[in-house]
Amino acid sequence: MIAVSDPGQDDRPAGAGTAGLETPAVRPPVVELRDLWRTFPADPPVHALRDVDLRIHEGDYVSVVGPSGSGKSTLLNILGCLDRPTAGLHLLDGMDVASLSEDQRAAVRGRRIGFVFQSFHLLAHRSVAENVMLAEIYTHPGQPRDGRRARAEAALARVGLSHRAGFLPTRLSGGERQRVAIARALVGEPRMLLCDEPTGNLDSRTTGSILELFDELRADGLTLVVITHDDHVSVRAASTVRLADGMVVS
Ligand code: ADP
Ligand code: MG
């Protein structure tokens, strides 16, 4: 085995986080779903997710594909603590989040998770900067007001939109609007970004630039889960979860 030299780090205790000693197999997953079901009451009941097992590790880039109605959005809602499983286990950082109260789940969501949707859900009469600032009121209600603008500006810089901070969303292109929505998801400094068809309303060139942004975010260490119909999106991800009829088929 070839040892990777690591100059300047020799004074660490033996075995402390050396890349060569940690393999994904021993790293605990950020997310683990075990024997998970989500059944909606109806006659007959709708089994939107059936017996799903899934592990997502820190820094993973996972795409979720499958036909319409196969359970993709249901899965994302559960991963985002917006919905609870009917049966089975949902662990986030080893914590059984399905058993937490709504307030506790909202706190977990605010600290760890950002959401991006196909339709950008921006407030039309607020500037780009205000749209990002207002998100923080929901994700981090306790944050001091001062600094809010600076944090919004930092999030906009991260998505390459500093020069649009004062614009109204109606003056932006589709790709720029999605960047604002991504900045809004990033302002709470989540560790995981959950995206439901984020390029579904964008042309192929704009899709490419959003995918480059995802690559950058992943390089920064963010964990990404992206639902998509688009092969261009799924090939960029490191792994793909394929759903059919509520089951993971590959
Ligand atoms: P996808 O995102 O892959 O298109 P969804 O997760 O939205 O699929 O839906 C999976 C299945 O669950 C579909 O049959 C859908 O009709 C059903 N479903 C989703 N949400 C509800 C709900 N709130 N009540 C009843 N059925 C639902
Ligand atoms: Mg869906």
Side-chain angles (χ1 to χ4, degrees):
M1 190 180 130
I2 299 166
V4 179
S5 79
D6 199 0
Q9 301 283 314
D10 297 306
D11 53 350
R12 287 180 309 177
T18 310
L21 294 179
E22 279 186 24
T23 64
V26 298
R27 233 169 0 127
V30 186
V31 174
E32 184 165 6
L33 307 181
R34 260 189 248 155
D35 309 327
L36 185 136
W37 292 71
R38 178 62 170 111
T39 303
F40 292 107
D43 192 17
V46 179
H47 300 297
L49 295 173
R50 311 169 188 244
D51 208 18
V52 169
D53 286 288
L54 185 65
R55 288 157 162 251
I56 300 171
H57 288 88
E58 180 113 51
D60 276 355
Y61 184 173
V62 180
S63 68
V64 179
V65 301
S68 179
S70 58
K72 303 181 298 295
S73 295
T74 303
L75 177 66
L76 207 79
N77 288 340
I78 287 184
L79 292 177
C81 300
L82 293 169
D83 188 19
R84 291 173 203 264
T86 314
L89 204 56
H90 172 203
L91 301 176
L92 185 61
D93 288 321
M95 181 169 49
D96 178 5
V97 278
S99 67
L100 299 180
S101 71
E102 276 313 316
D103 283 355
Q104 288 169 321
R105 286 158 57 81
V108 165
R109 225 168 22 237
R111 276 201 308 278
R112 294 170 211 242
I113 299 168
F115 294 92
V116 176
F117 300 99
Q118 176 173 357
S119 41
F120 321 118
H121 301 305
L122 301 176
L123 300 170
H125 301 292
R126 300 287 195 150
S127 73
V128 161
E130 285 169 335
N131 265 277
V132 178
M133 287 163 69
L134 286 167
E136 204 187 63
I137 295 172
Y138 295 102
T139 58
H140 288 66
Q143 282 274 31
R145 279 185 71 100
D146 18 308
R148 192 165 276 161
R149 177 165 289 272
R151 289 190 293 274
E153 284 169 358
L156 285 169
R158 210 168 162 191
V159 303
L161 269 194
S162 298
H163 59 305
R164 296 285 185 261
F167 277 51
L168 290 175
T170 46
R171 305 261 324 271
L172 302 181
S173 70
E176 287 174 327
R177 285 182 209 183
Q178 190 57 298
R179 280 173 192 272
V180 178
I182 294 170
R184 188 183 51 190
L186 292 174
V187 76
E189 299 200 355
R191 287 167 48 206
M192 184 161 65
L193 206 56
L194 303 177
C195 312
D196 197 342
E197 300 273 1
T199 62
N201 282 335
L202 304 178
D203 61 44
S204 61
R205 213 185 54 152
T206 313
T207 293
S209 82
I210 293 293
L211 294 180
E212 276 167 33
L213 175 58
F214 284 163
D215 289 343
E216 288 168 26
L217 295 175
R218 191 197 177 201
D220 286 348
L222 216 69
T223 307
L224 292 169
V225 181
V226 182
I227 292 182
T228 184
H229 273 114
D230 185 341
D231 291 342
H232 292 104
V233 180
S234 60
V235 297
R236 295 283 271 264
S239 56
T240 297
V241 172
R242 191 169 300 277
L243 287 175
D245 208 12
M247 285 179 287
V248 175
V249 292
S250 74

